[in-house]
Amino acid sequence: MLDLSRLQALRAVQTFGTVTAAAGALHITPSAVSQHLAKLERETRTTLVEKDGRRLRLTEAGRVLAEHAGRVLAAVEEAEAALAAHQETVSGRLSVSSFPTACRGLLPHTLRRLSAEHPDLELTLLETDRDASFDGILRGIIDIALIDEWLEIPVTFPPGVANVELGLDVGDLMLPAGHPLAFGAGPITLEEVREERWIGSQPGTVCHEWLLRMLPGLQPSILVNEFETQLTFVAQGLGVAFVPRLARASLPAGVVARPVSPEAARRVSVAWRAAASGRPAIGATVAALQNAWRHRPSSAAPMSQLPEWVPGRDVIHVV
């Protein structure tokens, strides 16, 4: 019978590339990882890893065993989740990641509710982008993540990752209060403001890519990622910007928000490893996030009518 801890060590080395990184992910010492690998090689009578500079490279036999180990460990996680579902309390450790605007707009309410209702649940939070969140979920570092995707740039969720949609976060055009279009009737087409001085996010970010899809060839004059900073520049009459409603609890003096046509929105979802779907902590966190979505500030989109999420009742998407 192969030892699960040794299989975990092999899988971690395959994922992270070094003994030190694998040890950090498993919360054990590098020496312990090396010992697990040595014992696993003795048990299987096979060379599983070999040095490749400062990294370890899995042999062909090592890769075969690591792939099977991944499926075995996923089955173990499912079993642990099923067992946890029989407990009366939501407890244990749960790591959450989120893109920045949801960190500000949803997570304070969510974490406060979870702390009050489930004091035995130990939460950690990491603010990061979508790709890093997916990577963390697949590596087992992150348990649950908030994911955003512009409707014009749909996201493909990795295999083994389940998700449920919270709703749509609509974006509006931010104009200085003295701008001629600030108090017009009806939505504004973005072509009407193409020649304005634009304030946008830095290249390489989801928001920058989305803006260029809406207005191909646009070159923003001011590049800052923080939406609150963008609004500060708009208030000073230094340009216009496009800001999602979730990114703003209120507007500073001197800024007017106008809808655009066609309406632009991004989808906000919660994602987690499908094998962990039965964990009560996952269900409690998704429910708290849905509650936070319904109670986000009044300057955001109309409140969602989504009910509280109950595992096994709502439709969730698994790829």
Side-chain angles (χ1 to χ4, degrees):
M1 179 73 69
L2 296 175
D3 184 274
L4 286 179
S5 297
R6 294 164 194 169
L7 291 178
Q8 280 183 320
L10 181 67
R11 184 68 170 174
V13 169
Q14 181 191 43
T15 302
F16 298 100
T18 69
V19 168
T20 301
L26 296 174
H27 304 290
I28 59 178
T29 65
S31 176
V33 171
S34 297
Q35 290 177 29
H36 282 318
L37 295 177
K39 291 177 181 178
L40 189 58
E41 288 187 328
R42 288 198 296 271
E43 286 179 347
T44 59
R45 298 180 182 179
T46 306
T47 300
L48 301 174
V49 295
E50 54 190 12
K51 289 186 178 180
D52 184 12
R54 294 185 176 182
R55 301 174 67 85
L56 282 182
R57 182 171 60 86
L58 269 64
T59 63
E60 182 61 31
R63 287 192 292 273
V64 170
L65 183 56
E67 292 305 317
H68 283 282
R71 291 191 287 272
V72 169
L73 294 172
V76 170
E77 185 172 23
E78 289 182 10
E80 291 174 340
L83 184 61
H86 288 280
Q87 298 177 354
E88 295 182 359
T89 60
V90 175
S91 59
R93 294 182 178 180
L94 192 81
S95 55
V96 181
S97 70
S98 172
F99 58 95
T101 50
C103 257
R104 181 172 58 250
L106 297 178
L107 266 301
H109 178 102
T110 301
L111 298 186
R112 183 175 65 249
R113 175 171 176 148
L114 288 172
S115 295
E117 296 183 354
H118 309 292
D120 293 329
L121 182 61
E122 183 180 338
L123 289 158
T124 59
L125 172 62
L126 173 67
E127 180 183 292
T128 188
D129 60 23
R130 179 202 307 151
D131 290 341
S133 287
F134 280 147
D135 184 63
I137 289 175
L138 294 174
R139 292 183 177 216
I141 299 172
I142 292 170
D143 295 309
I144 193 165
L146 280 162
I147 303 294
D148 65 332
E149 55 176 322
W150 295 105
L151 301 185
E152 296 84 357
I153 317 173
V155 167
T156 299
F157 285 81
V161 174
N163 69 92
V164 64
E165 180 181 329
L166 291 181
L168 297 181
D169 181 25
V170 177
D172 297 307
L173 180 67
M174 302 292 113
L175 296 166
H179 194 283
L181 295 175
F183 298 100
I188 296 173
T189 64
L190 290 179
E191 285 296 334
E192 292 182 72
V193 289
R194 171 183 281 278
E195 301 305 320
E196 296 284 342
R197 176 184 292 173
W198 275 86
I199 302 162
S201 301
Q202 296 184 37
T205 63
V206 172
C207 292
H208 180 86
E209 293 172 3
W210 180 85
L211 185 59
L212 294 189
R213 278 181 175 260
M214 290 199 304
L215 291 171
L218 183 70
Q219 295 184 344
S221 302
I222 299 174
L223 296 172
V224 290
N225 288 339
E226 178 55 56
F227 284 121
E228 287 188 357
T229 304
Q230 291 185 19
L231 291 173
T232 300
F233 282 115
V234 174
Q236 295 300 314
L238 297 174
V240 302
F242 186 85
V243 177
R245 294 175 182 172
L246 188 60
R248 59 184 203 265
S250 61
L251 291 177
V255 177
V256 173
R258 291 288 309 279
V260 298
S261 179
E263 184 178 78
R266 60 178 171 176
R267 181 180 292 109
V268 180
S269 303
V270 190
W272 64 92
R273 285 184 302 283
S277 293
R279 286 184 63 188
I282 296 290
T285 303
V286 173
L289 284 166
Q290 288 185 322
N291 183 273
W293 182 265
R294 286 193 296 273
H295 293 88
R296 63 199 190 281
S298 58
S299 65
M303 290 195 299
S304 167
Q305 297 302 311
L306 282 172
E308 295 289 331
W309 181 70
V310 176
R313 185 191 69 190
D314 285 351
V315 176
I316 59 176
H317 311 285
V318 183
V319 275

